[in-house]
Amino acid sequence: MGRSVWKGPFVDSYVLKKAEKSRESGRNEVIKIWSRRSTILPQFVGLTFGVYNGHKHIPVNVSEDMIGQKFGEYSPTRTYYGHAADKKAKRK
Amino acid sequence: MSAGANTRVCVGAVAGAFGVRGEVRLKSFTAEPEALAAYGPVETEDGARSFDVTLTRPVKGGFAARLSGVASREAADSLRGTRLYVDRARLPEPEDDEFYHADLIGLAVHDTGGALLGHVKAVLNHGAGDLLELRRPEGPGTVLLPFTKATVPTVDLKAGRVVADPPEGLFD
């Protein structure tokens, strides 16, 4: 069962403050956060967060289709490298 | 290690024999698992043996396949653990701004001032875009660099060089 709509999405307040400060400054920076539980809000689109995974901060470029998810979903706590084989990376 | 040094890529491995008629169980490492057989003959790591691969059906953990020259269960079982390689040149040309992981791994990454930031150790994707994992020159740690045009403006595969303009705070 999902969170009640009347409560609104949960975001740690310090994340909101840091995001606002970064947007106002207009600098190209990684906003380091430890709050994996915070919801990604529309005002975060275009910013880059460094989301802590217990070991280091994983850069997360927020795009529109990530709105409503939690930051922690993009910062896995375990790394599996696998084989390069024919896998491709797209530079966006 | 530059991209040019990597002339072969590992596309799969033999997990063991499958059945009693000389079929093998193959693990595929390719992005589309069925593509394992599409790149032509595969070679063993030392290049001593070459096989044509015919995938017969999907099975648990991979594919049942026939390898040319392997006709018995004993021959199939003797290949257990063998990694299968194809020439990098046999992979199709990627589209604009697309790069094979195999080409990127090992490239030197410099900042816009020319200072060495590290070498590409791996390419990761956790759902928010591709990331280059850099092995730092001065220590054992690694740093993740978003693989975007803003952060990585230049990728020169021929020169084996990547130019990055990392955002503030990434290397702290």
Side-chain angles (χ1 to χ4, degrees), chain A residues 27-30 32 56 58-61 66 73-74 76 81 83-92, chain B residues 10 29-31 39 96-101 121 126 130 133 142 144 147-149 152-153 167-169 172:
Chain A
R27 289 189 304 177
N28 177 26
E29 64 178 350
V30 175
K32 285 190 176 175
K56 58 186 169 186
I58 307 290
V60 175
N61 282 328
M66 292 158 68
E73 295 179 54
Y74 300 96
Y81 286 104
H83 291 267
D86 64 347
K87 296 181 185 81
K88 287 181 263 191
K90 177 98 176 163
R91 193 169 52 151
K92 292 177 183 168
Chain B
C10 181
F29 302 146
T30 54
Y39 298 129
D96 286 348
D97 285 320
E98 265 190 353
F99 302 90
Y100 283 109
H101 290 195
K121 177 187 174 194
H126 302 140
D130 289 299
E133 185 174 17
T142 60
L144 293 168
F147 193 47
T148 60
K149 286 177 186 166
V152 185
E168 286 175 44
D172 295 345

Side-chain angles (χ1 to χ4, degrees), chain B residues 7 10 12 20-22 25-26 31 37 61-62 81 85 87 96-97 107 111 113 115 118 123 134 142 164-165 170:
Chain B
T7 56
C10 181
V20 294
R21 296 179 182 172
R25 186 194 297 270
L26 284 185
Y85 291 78
D87 276 341
D96 286 348
D97 285 320
L107 295 186
D111 66 11
V123 184
L134 307 187
T142 60
D165 184 11
L170 196 71

Side-chain angles (χ1 to χ4, degrees), chain A residues 5-56:
Chain A
V5 173
W6 62 265
K7 288 184 177 179
F10 171 80
V11 186
D12 270 311
S13 57
Y14 85 89
V15 175
L16 279 172
K17 283 178 194 163
K18 276 189 160 184
E20 196 177 339
K21 197 174 166 188
S22 172
R23 191 172 283 286
E24 281 170 5
S25 73
R27 289 189 304 177
N28 177 26
E29 64 178 350
V30 175
I31 305 163
K32 285 190 176 175
I33 61 170
W34 283 256
S35 174
R36 300 168 56 81
R37 59 184 183 170
S38 291
T39 309
I40 297 174
L41 300 180
Q43 58 262 42
F44 298 159
V45 172
L47 299 176
T48 302
F49 290 84
V51 183
Y52 197 59
N53 72 351
H55 175 57
K56 58 186 169 186

